């Protein structure tokens, strides 16, 4: 198993990732983890209501935890800039 695959598996246990995906689930938006593009952070590929897919970068280490509320607020702003309004 490559290091990118291990990274993706470990990111799923991160508190920030779990908070982000919980929020997306409440909005009914489909999502999946995608590997880093080159040397970078993994991301969430999110299917927007328009059918378009957009990548939201998960800028966190697999074990680290930033302020999860701040990460969710960042996701809300990012979604709003793409026309997704909270329900």
């Amino acid at each position: 198993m490559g290091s990118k695959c291990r990274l993706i598996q470990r990111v799923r246990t991160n508190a920030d990732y779990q908070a982000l995906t919980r929020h997306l689930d409440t909005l009914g938006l489909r999502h999946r983890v995608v590997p880093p593009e080159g040397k970078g952070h993994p991301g969430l590929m999110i299917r927007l209501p328009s059918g378009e897919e957009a990548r939201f970068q998960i800028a966190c280490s697999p074990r680290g935890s930033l302020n999860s509320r701040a990460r969710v607020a960042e996701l809300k702003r990012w979604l709003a800039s793409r026309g997704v309004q909270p329900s």
Side-chain angles (χ1 to χ4, degrees), residues 16 49 72 82 87:
D16 296 333
V72 171
R82 285 157 178 78
S87 50

Side-chain angles (χ1 to χ4, degrees), residues 6-23:
R6 281 192 300 272
L7 177 64
I8 289 173
Q9 288 178 336
R10 291 179 63 202
V11 162
R12 289 187 174 119
T13 64
N14 179 285
D16 296 333
Y17 166 82
Q18 292 173 356
L20 293 170
T21 57
R22 221 178 0 260
H23 180 70

Side-chain angles (χ1 to χ4, degrees), residues 4 8-9 18 25 28 33 36 41 51 54 58 64 67 69 81-82:
K4 286 185 181 181
I8 289 173
Q9 288 178 336
Q18 292 173 356
D25 290 342
V33 180
H41 297 285
I58 306 171
N67 181 339
R69 280 194 254 167
S81 74
R82 285 157 178 78

Side-chain angles (χ1 to χ4, degrees), residues 23-41:
H23 180 70
L24 291 170
D25 290 342
T26 63
L27 295 176
L29 296 176
R30 296 182 64 186
H31 54 85
R32 67 182 190 282
V33 180
V34 292
E37 295 176 338
K39 291 184 178 182
H41 297 285

Side-chain angles (χ1 to χ4, degrees), residues 54-66:
R55 180 188 175 98
F56 181 78
Q57 185 172 322
I58 306 171
C60 59
S61 67
R63 292 184 348 173
S65 178
L66 300 171

